[in-house]
Amino acid sequence: QQPGAPHRAAEFADAASLLAANPDATTISIEEPDGTKSQRGRQQEPGREEDDELLGNDDSDKTELLAGQKKSAPFWTFEYYQTFFDVDTYQVLDRIKGSVFPVPGRNFVRLYIRSNPDLYGPFWICTTLVFAIAVSGNLSNFFIHLGKPTYHYVPEFRKVSIAATTIFAYAWLVPLALWGFLMWRNSKVMNIVSYSFLEIVCVYGYSLFVYIPTAILWIIPQKVVRWVLVMFSLCLSGSVLVMTFWPAVRDDNRRIALATVGAIILLHALLSVGCLAYFFDAPEVDFPVPIVPAHNGTTLIKAQ
């Protein structure tokens, strides 16, 4: 016999006597709240809690969506874009710390981004990285040729535009392609976790922060040191991307999931290695020896 059965029997007897006395009476049944049922259901599924913490379930996503639901302004107004930069300094620093020190088994989007994705951090990280690469590349070229009498330092301002095109194209076009691919696969496989375009841009933007100090240290004119730094930064920032997007594709076909993660790592490696090879490991240029005309009509070669 279940506990509380006598109490329920007494309630049913009272309800029966009430209906017998007054047929028009209405009885009200109080059931157990849904929250208690859901808690008991989760206790019966021990593996569910870990998955919810890593990826989140539909109930948590709906709750967060309804909690932050508000009337949005039209996209042609300033207020519409202002919401993308509505973030405080502590949130930005916390997300930067999460991208530099990734926690194994923790999803970066669920842990830092989903509550309030922003473009403030990614924009300034990309902008700072552009100037760090361009300025450090110029200084590296200067230190390599320092002391050569035939070398005259000329700032290469074109490196700023090249670095800006490369960094911002990577930070926007790759997330756009990945978002489109995840949306397409989500229509094929229902269990795939989907991210919004803003969340993917946010992840890629914050994952580039580690390259800012790396680009400054690339000034050191030692190829071994530079390649050690690029491998360290690649592993650190690449792990953030892998731990974020692997849960989104792991329920897909095994080959497609591995190919997707492999493409993410490959594009990330091409960015870091390409920046190092173009801006810092440029080939040596042999400067022509100046020819100084003599007063008697002959030419003299200036000694180095």
Side-chain angles (χ1 to χ4, degrees), residues 214-246:
T214 301
I216 297 175
L217 294 176
W218 278 343
I219 299 177
I220 302 174
Q222 298 292 333
K223 288 189 176 182
V224 177
V225 176
R226 290 176 176 177
W227 283 101
V228 169
L229 289 172
V230 74
M231 293 304 297
F232 175 76
S233 302
L234 178 61
C235 294
L236 201 62
S237 59
S239 63
V240 176
L241 299 178
V242 171
M243 288 189 296
T244 300
F245 296 109
W246 171 248

Side-chain angles (χ1 to χ4, degrees), residues 189-237:
V189 183
M190 299 303 296
N191 292 331
I192 290 182
V193 179
S194 61
Y195 298 126
S196 67
F197 174 66
L198 184 59
E199 289 173 345
I200 298 177
V201 170
C202 203
V203 173
Y204 268 86
Y206 281 103
S207 68
L208 295 176
F209 176 82
V210 70
Y211 287 105
I212 296 177
T214 301
I216 297 175
L217 294 176
W218 278 343
I219 299 177
I220 302 174
Q222 298 292 333
K223 288 189 176 182
V224 177
V225 176
R226 290 176 176 177
W227 283 101
V228 169
L229 289 172
V230 74
M231 293 304 297
F232 175 76
S233 302
L234 178 61
C235 294
L236 201 62
S237 59

Side-chain angles (χ1 to χ4, degrees), residues 72-87:
S72 59
F75 71 92
W76 60 82
T77 61
F78 177 77
E79 289 77 9
Y80 176 80
Y81 299 96
Q82 189 178 10
T83 58
F84 299 147
F85 296 85
D86 186 14
V87 64

Side-chain angles (χ1 to χ4, degrees), residues 17-38:
S17 60
L18 178 62
L19 289 174
N22 186 6
D24 296 332
T26 303
T27 59
I28 300 176
S29 177
I30 301 176
E31 297 182 354
E32 188 179 20
D34 295 338
T36 307
K37 293 182 179 179
S38 61

Side-chain angles (χ1 to χ4, degrees), residues 283-299:
E284 293 284 343
V285 179
D286 295 329
F287 297 96
V289 179
I291 299 176
V292 181
H295 295 289
N296 56 3
T298 60
T299 57

Side-chain angles (χ1 to χ4, degrees), residues 137-148 151 218-223 226 279-285:
N138 277 278
L139 291 178
S140 175
N141 190 32
F142 172 76
F143 289 136
I144 289 175
H145 301 96
L146 184 63
K148 297 182 179 181
Y151 173 71
W218 278 343
I219 299 177
I220 302 174
Q222 298 292 333
K223 288 189 176 182
R226 290 176 176 177
F279 293 99
F280 296 89
D281 286 344
E284 293 284 343
V285 179

